[in-house]
PDB file of all heavy atoms in Angstrom:
ATOM      1  N   TRP C 508     208.473 -39.849  48.364  1.00 98.00           N
ATOM      2  CA  TRP C 508     208.597 -41.159  47.754  1.00 98.00           C
ATOM      3  C   TRP C 508     209.698 -41.085  46.708  1.00 98.00           C
ATOM      4  O   TRP C 508     209.725 -40.084  45.879  1.00 98.00           O
ATOM      5  CB  TRP C 508     207.420 -41.552  47.019  1.00 98.00           C
ATOM      6  CG  TRP C 508     206.072 -41.873  47.834  1.00 98.00           C
ATOM      7  CD1 TRP C 508     205.644 -43.118  48.047  1.00 98.00           C
ATOM      8  CD2 TRP C 508     205.280 -40.938  48.520  1.00 98.00           C
ATOM      9  NE1 TRP C 508     204.522 -42.939  48.857  1.00 98.00           N
ATOM     10  CE2 TRP C 508     204.246 -41.567  49.134  1.00 98.00           C
ATOM     11  CE3 TRP C 508     205.241 -39.535  48.595  1.00 98.00           C
ATOM     12  CZ2 TRP C 508     203.167 -41.056  49.867  1.00 98.00           C
ATOM     13  CZ3 TRP C 508     204.239 -38.918  49.388  1.00 98.00           C
ATOM     14  CH2 TRP C 508     203.239 -39.742  49.991  1.00 98.00           C
ATOM     15  N   VAL C 509     210.629 -41.920  46.735  1.00 98.00           N
ATOM     16  CA  VAL C 509     211.762 -41.687  45.818  1.00 98.00           C
ATOM     17  C   VAL C 509     212.523 -42.974  45.498  1.00 98.00           C
ATOM     18  O   VAL C 509     212.514 -43.976  46.203  1.00 98.00           O
ATOM     19  CB  VAL C 509     212.833 -40.692  46.596  1.00 98.00           C
ATOM     20  CG1 VAL C 509     213.348 -41.264  47.848  1.00 98.00           C
ATOM     21  CG2 VAL C 509     213.999 -40.388  45.703  1.00 98.00           C
ATOM     22  N   THR C 510     213.074 -42.895  44.242  1.00 97.00           N
ATOM     23  CA  THR C 510     213.925 -44.047  43.720  1.00 97.00           C
ATOM     24  C   THR C 510     215.299 -43.872  44.360  1.00 97.00           C
ATOM     25  O   THR C 510     216.153 -43.243  43.813  1.00 97.00           O
ATOM     26  CB  THR C 510     213.992 -44.043  42.232  1.00 97.00           C
ATOM     27  OG1 THR C 510     214.435 -42.725  41.817  1.00 97.00           O
ATOM     28  CG2 THR C 510     212.734 -44.364  41.565  1.00 97.00           C
ATOM     29  N   ALA C 511     215.507 -44.455  45.615  1.00 97.00           N
ATOM     30  CA  ALA C 511     216.825 -44.195  46.211  1.00 97.00           C
ATOM     31  C   ALA C 511     217.348 -45.476  46.841  1.00 97.00           C
ATOM     32  O   ALA C 511     216.550 -46.356  47.159  1.00 97.00           O
ATOM     33  CB  ALA C 511     216.569 -43.157  47.331  1.00 97.00           C
ATOM     34  N   GLN C 512     218.554 -45.590  46.879  1.00 96.00           N
ATOM     35  CA  GLN C 512     219.208 -46.830  47.414  1.00 96.00           C
ATOM     36  C   GLN C 512     219.645 -46.656  48.829  1.00 96.00           C
ATOM     37  O   GLN C 512     219.744 -47.619  49.582  1.00 96.00           O
ATOM     38  CB  GLN C 512     220.482 -47.220  46.574  1.00 96.00           C
ATOM     39  CG  GLN C 512     220.101 -47.730  45.209  1.00 96.00           C
ATOM     40  CD  GLN C 512     221.410 -47.840  44.414  1.00 96.00           C
ATOM     41  OE1 GLN C 512     221.731 -47.169  43.492  1.00 96.00           O
ATOM     42  NE2 GLN C 512     222.114 -48.971  44.742  1.00 96.00           N
ATOM     43  N   VAL C 513     219.908 -45.366  49.259  1.00 95.00           N
ATOM     44  CA  VAL C 513     220.409 -45.226  50.547  1.00 95.00           C
ATOM     45  C   VAL C 513     219.442 -44.146  51.283  1.00 95.00           C
ATOM     46  O   VAL C 513     219.721 -43.043  51.094  1.00 95.00           O
ATOM     47  CB  VAL C 513     221.847 -44.750  50.631  1.00 95.00           C
ATOM     48  CG1 VAL C 513     222.406 -44.621  52.047  1.00 95.00           C
ATOM     49  CG2 VAL C 513     222.698 -45.696  49.846  1.00 95.00           C
ATOM     50  N   PRO C 514     218.582 -44.567  52.079  1.00 95.00           N
ATOM     51  CA  PRO C 514     217.692 -43.630  52.744  1.00 95.00           C
ATOM     52  C   PRO C 514     218.349 -42.542  53.589  1.00 95.00           C
ATOM     53  O   PRO C 514     217.928 -41.384  53.574  1.00 95.00           O
ATOM     54  CB  PRO C 514     216.743 -44.449  53.591  1.00 95.00           C
ATOM     55  CG  PRO C 514     217.359 -45.805  53.587  1.00 95.00           C
ATOM     56  CD  PRO C 514     218.275 -45.966  52.512  1.00 95.00           C
ATOM     57  N   GLU C 515     219.536 -42.887  54.164  1.00 93.00           N
ATOM     58  CA  GLU C 515     220.195 -41.936  54.893  1.00 93.00           C
ATOM     59  C   GLU C 515     220.691 -40.739  54.150  1.00 93.00           C
ATOM     60  O   GLU C 515     220.584 -39.618  54.626  1.00 93.00           O
ATOM     61  CB  GLU C 515     221.415 -42.615  55.612  1.00 93.00           C
ATOM     62  CG  GLU C 515     222.181 -41.741  56.526  1.00 93.00           C
ATOM     63  CD  GLU C 515     223.383 -42.342  57.175  1.00 93.00           C
ATOM     64  OE1 GLU C 515     224.118 -42.892  56.410  1.00 93.00           O
ATOM     65  OE2 GLU C 515     223.407 -42.436  58.433  1.00 93.00           O
ATOM     66  N   VAL C 516     221.087 -40.953  52.827  1.00 94.00           N
ATOM     67  CA  VAL C 516     221.453 -39.790  52.069  1.00 94.00           C
ATOM     68  C   VAL C 516     220.367 -38.787  51.861  1.00 94.00           C
ATOM     69  O   VAL C 516     220.494 -37.669  51.867  1.00 94.00           O
ATOM     70  CB  VAL C 516     222.037 -40.264  50.691  1.00 94.00           C
ATOM     71  CG1 VAL C 516     222.368 -39.171  49.753  1.00 94.00           C
ATOM     72  CG2 VAL C 516     223.335 -41.058  50.927  1.00 94.00           C
ATOM     73  N   ILE C 517     219.124 -39.399  51.635  1.00 96.00           N
ATOM     74  CA  ILE C 517     217.985 -38.565  51.342  1.00 96.00           C
ATOM     75  C   ILE C 517     217.568 -37.834  52.696  1.00 96.00           C
ATOM     76  O   ILE C 517     217.389 -36.647  52.682  1.00 96.00           O
ATOM     77  CB  ILE C 517     216.743 -39.419  50.926  1.00 96.00           C
ATOM     78  CG1 ILE C 517     217.145 -40.273  49.806  1.00 96.00           C
ATOM     79  CG2 ILE C 517     215.560 -38.545  50.527  1.00 96.00           C
ATOM     80  CD1 ILE C 517     217.615 -39.531  48.460  1.00 96.00           C
ATOM     81  N   TYR C 518     217.536 -38.610  53.706  1.00 93.00           N
ATOM     82  CA  TYR C 518     217.099 -38.100  54.968  1.00 93.00           C
ATOM     83  C   TYR C 518     218.065 -36.924  55.430  1.00 93.00           C
ATOM     84  O   TYR C 518     217.591 -35.860  55.781  1.00 93.00           O
ATOM     85  CB  TYR C 518     217.324 -39.241  55.975  1.00 93.00           C
ATOM     86  CG  TYR C 518     216.484 -39.194  57.259  1.00 93.00           C
ATOM     87  CD1 TYR C 518     215.174 -39.453  57.255  1.00 93.00           C
ATOM     88  CD2 TYR C 518     217.115 -38.969  58.468  1.00 93.00           C
ATOM     89  CE1 TYR C 518     214.433 -39.512  58.418  1.00 93.00           C
ATOM     90  CE2 TYR C 518     216.405 -38.878  59.565  1.00 93.00           C
ATOM     91  CZ  TYR C 518     215.044 -39.197  59.593  1.00 93.00           C
ATOM     92  OH  TYR C 518     214.338 -39.199  60.772  1.00 93.00           O
ATOM     93  N   ASP C 519     219.383 -37.146  55.416  1.00 92.00           N
ATOM     94  CA  ASP C 519     220.331 -36.230  55.714  1.00 92.00           C
ATOM     95  C   ASP C 519     220.349 -35.022  54.799  1.00 92.00           C
ATOM     96  O   ASP C 519     220.439 -33.904  55.176  1.00 92.00           O
ATOM     97  CB  ASP C 519     221.783 -36.743  55.863  1.00 92.00           C
ATOM     98  CG  ASP C 519     221.941 -37.644  57.135  1.00 92.00           C
ATOM     99  OD1 ASP C 519     221.044 -37.569  58.038  1.00 92.00           O
ATOM    100  OD2 ASP C 519     223.018 -38.361  57.155  1.00 92.00           O
ATOM    101  N   GLY C 520     220.313 -35.357  53.499  1.00 93.00           N
ATOM    102  CA  GLY C 520     220.219 -34.275  52.540  1.00 93.00           C
ATOM    103  C   GLY C 520     219.117 -33.291  52.666  1.00 93.00           C
ATOM    104  O   GLY C 520     219.276 -32.080  52.613  1.00 93.00           O
ATOM    105  N   VAL C 521     217.878 -33.824  52.955  1.00 95.00           N
ATOM    106  CA  VAL C 521     216.799 -32.958  53.203  1.00 95.00           C
ATOM    107  C   VAL C 521     216.960 -32.202  54.474  1.00 95.00           C
ATOM    108  O   VAL C 521     216.672 -31.008  54.514  1.00 95.00           O
ATOM    109  CB  VAL C 521     215.460 -33.862  53.276  1.00 95.00           C
ATOM    110  CG1 VAL C 521     214.339 -33.025  53.801  1.00 95.00           C
ATOM    111  CG2 VAL C 521     215.206 -34.301  51.855  1.00 95.00           C
ATOM    112  N   ARG C 522     217.399 -32.859  55.532  1.00 93.00           N
ATOM    113  CA  ARG C 522     217.625 -32.144  56.808  1.00 93.00           C
ATOM    114  C   ARG C 522     218.671 -31.026  56.639  1.00 93.00           C
ATOM    115  O   ARG C 522     218.424 -29.888  57.144  1.00 93.00           O
ATOM    116  CB  ARG C 522     217.946 -33.060  57.908  1.00 93.00           C
ATOM    117  CG  ARG C 522     216.819 -33.889  58.422  1.00 93.00           C
ATOM    118  CD  ARG C 522     217.233 -35.073  59.232  1.00 93.00           C
ATOM    119  NE  ARG C 522     218.035 -34.694  60.392  1.00 93.00           N
ATOM    120  CZ  ARG C 522     219.102 -35.340  60.788  1.00 93.00           C
ATOM    121  NH1 ARG C 522     219.651 -36.204  60.174  1.00 93.00           N
ATOM    122  NH2 ARG C 522     219.742 -34.828  61.910  1.00 93.00           N
ATOM    123  N   GLU C 523     219.740 -31.349  56.055  1.00 91.00           N
ATOM    124  CA  GLU C 523     220.755 -30.254  55.850  1.00 91.00           C
ATOM    125  C   GLU C 523     220.258 -29.125  54.959  1.00 91.00           C
ATOM    126  O   GLU C 523     220.462 -27.959  55.306  1.00 91.00           O
ATOM    127  CB  GLU C 523     222.028 -30.904  55.283  1.00 91.00           C
ATOM    128  CG  GLU C 523     222.811 -31.812  56.122  1.00 91.00           C
ATOM    129  CD  GLU C 523     223.748 -32.686  55.331  1.00 91.00           C
ATOM    130  OE1 GLU C 523     224.070 -32.402  54.144  1.00 91.00           O
ATOM    131  OE2 GLU C 523     224.304 -33.677  55.946  1.00 91.00           O
ATOM    132  N   ALA C 524     219.636 -29.487  53.862  1.00 96.00           N
ATOM    133  CA  ALA C 524     219.335 -28.371  52.858  1.00 96.00           C
ATOM    134  C   ALA C 524     218.090 -27.653  53.343  1.00 96.00           C
ATOM    135  O   ALA C 524     218.039 -26.422  53.255  1.00 96.00           O
ATOM    136  CB  ALA C 524     219.054 -29.006  51.532  1.00 96.00           C
ATOM    137  N   LEU C 525     217.027 -28.270  53.786  1.00 97.00           N
ATOM    138  CA  LEU C 525     215.746 -27.668  54.160  1.00 97.00           C
ATOM    139  C   LEU C 525     215.570 -27.367  55.618  1.00 97.00           C
ATOM    140  O   LEU C 525     214.530 -26.751  56.023  1.00 97.00           O
ATOM    141  CB  LEU C 525     214.567 -28.432  53.572  1.00 97.00           C
ATOM    142  CG  LEU C 525     214.575 -28.644  52.121  1.00 97.00           C
ATOM    143  CD1 LEU C 525     213.632 -29.644  51.586  1.00 97.00           C
ATOM    144  CD2 LEU C 525     214.317 -27.243  51.418  1.00 97.00           C
ATOM    145  N   GLY C 526     216.573 -27.876  56.428  1.00 95.00           N
ATOM    146  CA  GLY C 526     216.279 -27.615  57.903  1.00 95.00           C
ATOM    147  C   GLY C 526     215.097 -28.316  58.517  1.00 95.00           C
ATOM    148  O   GLY C 526     214.618 -27.920  59.553  1.00 95.00           O
ATOM    149  N   LEU C 527     214.594 -29.359  57.838  1.00 95.00           N
ATOM    150  CA  LEU C 527     213.374 -30.057  58.337  1.00 95.00           C
ATOM    151  C   LEU C 527     213.846 -31.317  59.224  1.00 95.00           C
ATOM    152  O   LEU C 527     214.764 -31.963  58.797  1.00 95.00           O
ATOM    153  CB  LEU C 527     212.556 -30.535  57.255  1.00 95.00           C
ATOM    154  CG  LEU C 527     211.916 -29.473  56.343  1.00 95.00           C
ATOM    155  CD1 LEU C 527     211.292 -30.079  55.108  1.00 95.00           C
ATOM    156  CD2 LEU C 527     210.891 -28.630  57.118  1.00 95.00           C
TER     157      LEU C 527
END
Side-chain angles (χ1 to χ4, degrees):
Chain C
W508 289 255
V509 59
T510 52
Q512 294 174 249
V513 183
E515 186 178 54
V516 172
I517 307 299
Y518 203 75
D519 285 350
V521 166
R522 283 166 61 226
E523 287 164 15
L525 296 170
L527 296 171

